[in-house]
Amino acid sequence: MRLKFLLALLCSLPWLGHAEAATRYISDNVYAFLHAGPGNQYRIIGSINAGEPVEYLSRNAESKYVQIRDGEGRTGWIDGQFIQTGESFRSRLPTLEQELATTKQQLASADERHRQDVIDKTSRLQQQEQELSELHSQLAELRQTSDQLAADNRRLTSLMDDREHQMRLDWLLRGGLVAGVGALFGFLLPLIPLRRKRKQGRWMN
């Protein structure tokens, strides 16, 4: 009875496995053979490439072989050590390549933005240096103009001082001349009428 029960249980395992079907992956470092039964003594019906995704159907408890269905629709058995639950590198390769291409594109775009930013900043820096040079030149011209105006101001001030001094001397000289003429006129004026009176008196006599 116990033997019959075990045989019935083993026969029911494939049917139970169908209810638990899930995606599994062939290990990346193997080239596995697909057998017609749960053991290597069964006929080989094909091979499965490393990393290929397969559909998990059931597992044989004694041989540890796993029943799978591959991408071509073939159903067979393979050693359970060649099955992994994590996604294989081969399966992830297209996604990784796409991510790599996207990353390269983003890096290229970032490099282009960085290059353009460097060009813009260099251009602005050159423009600022040119404006600074022009400001320095204008400042030098303003300083030169200021020095020239200061020299002209000193020269004009000196001329004005000289002119004012000359005007004072002229006023003093003219005043002296007027005073001298006035004094002379004042000295000679009284003498003129006296001589005329004497002549008149002599004529009348």
Side-chain angles (χ1 to χ4, degrees):
M1 291 294 293
R2 183 176 300 176
L3 182 59
K4 291 181 179 180
F5 177 75
L6 290 175
L7 290 174
L9 180 61
L10 290 174
C11 293
S12 64
L13 284 176
W15 299 100
L16 292 174
H18 283 290
E20 300 176 356
T23 301
R24 296 291 187 273
Y25 298 89
I26 305 300
S27 298
D28 288 313
N29 57 350
V30 300
Y31 182 80
F33 291 104
L34 189 64
H35 294 270
N40 57 5
Q41 69 274 18
Y42 290 91
R43 180 175 57 89
I44 296 175
I45 60 176
S47 62
I48 303 179
N49 295 325
E52 183 178 343
V54 295
E55 183 180 356
Y56 176 90
L57 300 177
S58 64
R59 182 182 180 89
N60 186 285
E62 291 184 359
S63 64
K64 308 298 183 182
Y65 267 64
V66 175
Q67 189 181 32
I68 61 170
R69 182 180 294 113
D70 65 4
E72 300 178 3
R74 298 178 301 177
T75 300
W77 295 81
I78 189 172
D79 194 338
Q81 65 178 338
F82 299 148
I83 300 293
Q84 65 183 37
T85 57
E87 188 175 4
S88 64
F89 178 77
R90 181 180 179 181
S91 176
R92 288 186 290 120
L93 184 59
T95 303
L96 293 175
E97 289 178 344
Q98 180 62 36
E99 292 177 354
L100 180 60
T102 302
T103 302
K104 286 182 178 180
Q105 184 177 1
Q106 292 175 350
L107 288 175
S109 178
D111 289 341
E112 178 63 23
R113 290 195 303 271
H114 178 68
R115 187 181 67 85
Q116 187 62 41
D117 185 55
V118 170
I119 292 175
D120 293 340
K121 289 183 177 179
T122 302
S123 177
R124 288 198 300 269
L125 182 60
Q126 291 176 350
Q127 183 179 359
Q128 290 174 355
E129 289 178 349
Q130 183 178 359
E131 291 176 354
L132 184 60
S133 177
E134 292 177 356
L135 289 175
H136 281 305
S137 178
Q138 293 176 1
L139 181 60
E141 292 178 359
L142 290 174
R143 286 178 177 173
Q144 184 177 1
T145 303
S146 177
D147 294 340
Q148 184 63 37
L149 290 175
D152 293 342
N153 185 39
R154 290 192 296 270
R155 183 173 59 83
L156 291 175
T157 301
S158 178
L159 290 175
M160 290 180 65
D161 291 341
D162 293 342
R163 176 60 65 83
E164 185 177 356
H165 180 68
Q166 186 65 35
M167 289 177 64
R168 289 177 180 176
L169 290 178
D170 291 342
W171 279 107
L172 289 175
L173 181 59
R174 290 176 182 177
L177 289 174
V178 170
V181 171
L184 181 60
F185 185 75
F187 176 75
L188 296 176
L189 185 61
L191 299 177
I192 295 174
L194 292 176
R195 291 179 179 178
R196 288 180 179 178
K197 288 180 179 180
R198 289 178 181 177
K199 289 180 180 182
Q200 290 177 357
R202 291 178 180 176
W203 180 76
M204 290 179 65
N205 290 330

